[in-house]
């Protein structure tokens, strides 16, 4: 039986350390104010947070090195992880497109198109094409009626409604 | 008591009943939909309350408030996505319990706890509102800062086994709040000249990103791996088992007191109340290791505390005209729309309105319990909707919810990106609760630290010499040291025995 793969925290700790370093660096570019005094400056909390972020990232990095050594041969590579998460990245891009077209095409059309593609991708082999179509129409029309008519919430109107 | 009698005649009529129950139902729906909050519900309904008159208008708003605060537990338990900020903590144990096939049991516990917390705070509001308001007045920037630090100490409890990841998650939450204008002088930070970033990252996109979107991404992976079938207990019990209620009596009391007291403090809010109650319950529990795995004590603490905030938050609003949070600010607006002046004079000049609010709060809690007891068996079926239909539907709801709070398209992008970050963090076993804790408490700590320093330049001693502040800071130290201390005592006792 194949051993369960382990994800290394090292790349993430490096990213968090970089974030902390960037936060610290850019805190020098805040506008000065004459009303600030010792211990009460605009940059006080950002710098404290940045330093703590860097310190805890280093601690986690050290812990991660130890853990990776214990799990040698079982560490999942970045490409393996990307392959594993393919469906997540596809949905991320699809939702990005939905947001992009949300105000351009309007709620109803963009929701209809989004639901068709999302249900098709997620329900492959589980649902027929006319089922997808019915679901897409039902979700877009019912949610429009629910939000816009029943709850009186403003939704983007776009090209149709 | 005389206020109550005055209020009863206004609320206990057919019309009054219809308005109040409509408000509660609307609140439950708003609370249950991720991205829709009590604030949005009240904002939408506020203009209509003008035509309803003060008694029915206010009772409708209170109905929404109570309904939405409790309704958040529905999505928090069934799909792991908190319907409102108040139910973030409910996801920690509610969702794992639902995943074990005990969704109805978790919901029943949550609804009953909501009733207890809500009723407790309503009774406190009726009995000792003015004297409690005086306590809130004793809170200066030093006490608020100390409260923030005390709240942050909860990280130790909600981080699970990996404390370093918990602290990092809280720091990520704090870092998110640093973008935008600083809370004291409005100096832009990390905006890089981008106007969208000037207002910072709002609560809803952050919350929906880290909880809703990240959860959707996690579920997606399960769908693609064919692990999307969830066991489901079909029977909903209106009351949780008697032995659980008996076992939870101190939990109910402790969480109700915490919720009510935190509710009284303006700006603290229900999320902080449930975080603190969860932490204290875990510390008092005989089985702290079960927390986070679908343990009943966690659900009871979170839901009792967040609903106990409702009555508490009305205390400063009614007695001092200080709104505790966004929702009570809107209800305050509802009072002024009808020409009423909140504050001490409200009790003198408009005793009937005060009474109507008291009665409405009591009845709203009972109605919330009854409605949810009836409707929950239908809501619970959400869990058996196939994921390929449910997940796109959740994204549609979250997108609309996120959009309607500010009508800023930038918020939608933020929530999407936060979702991916949340997913990556969750994959690396980072607890997501501390992110919200950091997000909520970061600005409180910064604002009140700076206000404290600015009001008494070069005098830092006030943070530790004012009694309430000192007590809270000592509480924070104790809270952090408690678990390691308890473990070391246990170890020593074991060693002695052997």
């Amino acid at each position: 039986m194949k051993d369960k793969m382990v994800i290394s925290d090292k790349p993430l700790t490096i990213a968090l350390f970089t974030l902390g370093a960037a936060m610290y660096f850019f805190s020098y570019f805040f506008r000065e104010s004459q009303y600030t005094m010792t211990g009460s400056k605009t940059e006080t909390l950002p710098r404290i947070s940045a330093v703590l972020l860097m310190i805890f990232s280093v601690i986690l990095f050290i812990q991660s090195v130890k853990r990776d050594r214990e799990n040698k041969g079982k560490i999942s590579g970045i490409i393996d992880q990307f392959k594993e998460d393919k469906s997540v990245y596809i949905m991320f891009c699809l939702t990005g497109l939905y947001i992009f077209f949300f105000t351009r095409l309007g709620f109803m059309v963009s929701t209809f198109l989004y639901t068709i593609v999302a249900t098709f991708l997620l329900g492959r082999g589980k649902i027929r094409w006319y089922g997808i179509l019915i679901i897409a129409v039902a979700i877009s029309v019912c949610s429009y009626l629910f939000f816009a008519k029943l709850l009186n919430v403003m939704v983007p109107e776009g090209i149709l409604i | 008591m005389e206020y109550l009698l005055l209020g009863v005649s206004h609320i206990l009529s057919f019309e009054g009943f219809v308005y109040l129950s409509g408000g509660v139902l609307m609140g439950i729906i708003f609370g249950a939909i991720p991205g829709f909050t009590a604030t949005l519900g009240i904002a939408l309904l506020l203009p209509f309350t003008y035509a309803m008159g003060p008694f029915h208008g206010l009772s409708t708003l209170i109905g929404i408030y109570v309904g939405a605060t409790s309704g958040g537990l529905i999505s928090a338990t069934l799909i792991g996505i908190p319907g409102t900020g108040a139910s973030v903590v409910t996801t920690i144990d509610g969702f794992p319990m639902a995943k074990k096939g005990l969704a109805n049991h978790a919901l029943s516990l949550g609804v009953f706890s909501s009733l207890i917390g809500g009723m407790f705070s309503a009774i406190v509001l009726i009995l000792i509102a003015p004297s409690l308001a005086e306590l809130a007045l004793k809170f200066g920037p030093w006490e608020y800062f100390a409260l923030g630090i005390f709240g942050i100490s909860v990280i130790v409890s909600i981080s699970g086994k990996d404390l370093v990841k918990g602290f990092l998650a809280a720091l990520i939450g704090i870092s998110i709040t640093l973008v935008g204008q600083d809370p004291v002088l409005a100096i832009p930070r990390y905006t890089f000249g981008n106007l969208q970033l000037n207002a910072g990252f709002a609560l809803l996109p952050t919350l929906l990103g880290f909880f809703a979107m990240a959860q959707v991404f996690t579920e997606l992976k399960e769908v693609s791996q064919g692990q999307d079938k969830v066991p489901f207990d079909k029977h909903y019990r209106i009351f949780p088992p008697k032995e659980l209620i008996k076992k939870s009596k101190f939990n109910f009391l402790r969480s109700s007191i915490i919720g009510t007291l935190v509710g009284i403090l303006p700006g603290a809010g229900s999320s902080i109340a449930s975080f603190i109650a969860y932490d204290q319950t875990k510390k008092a529990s005989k089985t702290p290791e079960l927390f986070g795995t679908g343990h009943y004590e966690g659900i009871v603490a979170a839901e009792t505390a967040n609903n106990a905030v409702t009555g508490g938050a009305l205390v400063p609003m009614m007695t001092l005209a200080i709104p505790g949070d966004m929702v009570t600010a809107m209800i305050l607006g509802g009072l002024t729309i009808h020409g009423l002046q909140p504050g001490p004079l409200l009790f003198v000049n408009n005793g009937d309105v005060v009474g109507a609010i008291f009665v409405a709060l009591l009845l709203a809690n009972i109605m919330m319990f009854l409605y949810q007891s009836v409707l929950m068996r239908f809501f619970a079926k959400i869990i058996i909707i196939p994921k390929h239909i449910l997940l796109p539907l959740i994204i549609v709801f979250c997108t609309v919810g996120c959009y309607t709070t500010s009508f800023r398209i930038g918020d939608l992008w933020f929530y999407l990106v936060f979702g991916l970050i949340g997913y990556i963090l969750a994959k690396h076993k980072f607890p997501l609760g501390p992110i919200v804790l950091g997000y909520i408490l970061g600005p409180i700590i910064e604002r009140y630290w700076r206000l404290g320093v600015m009001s008494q330049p070069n005098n830092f001693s006030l943070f530790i010499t004012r009694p309430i502040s000192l007590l809270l800071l000592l509480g924070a130290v104790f809270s952090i040291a408690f678990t390691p201390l308890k473990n070391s005592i246990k170890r020593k006792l074991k060693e002695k025995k052997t």
Side-chain angles (χ1 to χ4, degrees), chain B residues 174-428:
Chain B
I174 293 173
S175 305
I176 290 168
T177 66
L178 296 175
V179 177
Q181 295 176 339
D182 93 55
V184 178
L185 296 167
I187 293 173
R189 298 189 295 204
Y190 305 121
T191 57
F192 307 105
N194 187 324
L195 284 178
Q196 289 273 4
L197 290 175
N198 241 0
F201 299 117
L203 174 66
L204 211 58
T206 312
L207 194 71
L208 288 177
F210 280 107
F211 281 89
M213 212 58 192
Q215 185 60 35
V216 167
F217 287 150
T218 309
E219 297 275 336
L220 267 177
K221 222 173 111 182
E222 288 176 11
V223 173
S224 62
Q225 290 168 353
Q227 308 165 342
D228 56 333
K229 286 211 170 103
V230 181
F232 175 55
D233 55 338
K234 290 189 177 73
H235 183 61
Y236 180 85
R237 293 171 67 147
I238 294 177
F239 292 99
K242 264 184 193 166
E243 64 270 23
L244 274 192
I245 298 177
K246 263 189 188 173
K247 274 188 204 170
S248 306
K249 54 182 187 274
F250 289 114
N251 191 354
F252 282 130
L253 184 68
R254 180 178 46 241
S255 305
S256 296
I257 293 171
I258 290 172
T260 309
L261 286 177
V262 173
I264 291 165
L265 303 173
S270 45
S271 316
I272 299 177
S274 43
F275 271 118
I276 294 176
Y278 186 87
D279 172 58
Q280 294 305 313
T281 304
K282 192 175 174 183
K283 286 196 171 90
S285 173
K286 284 176 187 161
T287 50
E289 69 282 357
L290 294 179
F291 279 68
T293 62
H295 191 41
Y296 74 95
E297 286 183 270
I299 300 172
V300 169
E303 278 307 309
T304 309
N306 67 24
N307 281 274
V309 166
T310 52
L314 290 176
V315 172
M317 186 210 85
M318 289 174 71
T319 54
L320 306 167
I322 299 170
D325 53 19
M326 213 36 218
V327 186
T328 43
M330 295 245 181
I331 299 175
L332 194 78
L335 279 168
T336 47
I337 276 180
H338 294 101
L340 302 162
Q341 180 60 51
L345 284 179
L346 186 72
F347 286 77
V348 181
N349 299 334
N350 305 95
D352 47 355
V353 175
V354 171
I357 293 175
F358 287 169
V359 177
L361 189 64
L362 279 171
L363 281 181
N365 276 294
I366 297 168
M367 280 180 186
M368 171 272 293
F369 178 71
L370 294 176
Y371 269 136
Q372 294 203 92
S373 297
V374 174
L375 294 174
M376 214 50 106
R377 61 201 76 221
F378 304 108
F379 280 134
K381 291 202 169 116
I382 290 173
I383 211 164
I384 51 172
I385 296 176
K387 291 280 163 65
H388 56 269
I389 300 172
L390 186 65
L391 298 182
L393 193 63
I394 291 171
I395 292 179
V396 169
F397 273 48
C398 290
T399 307
V400 177
C402 204
Y403 177 75
T404 47
T405 38
S406 61
F407 299 102
R408 286 194 310 173
I409 208 77
D411 277 356
L412 296 179
W413 290 112
F414 297 149
Y415 117 91
L416 180 64
V417 173
F418 284 152
L420 190 65
I421 297 172
Y423 169 74
I424 293 168
L425 290 175
K427 203 177 154 191
H428 285 264

Side-chain angles (χ1 to χ4, degrees), chain A residues 9 23 39 42 84-85 153, chain B residues 189-190 404 423 427-428 449:
Chain A
D9 287 332
M23 274 170 61
T42 303
E84 201 184 298
D85 292 338
V153 168
Chain B
R189 298 189 295 204
Y190 305 121
T404 47
Y423 169 74
K427 203 177 154 191
H428 285 264
W449 165 261

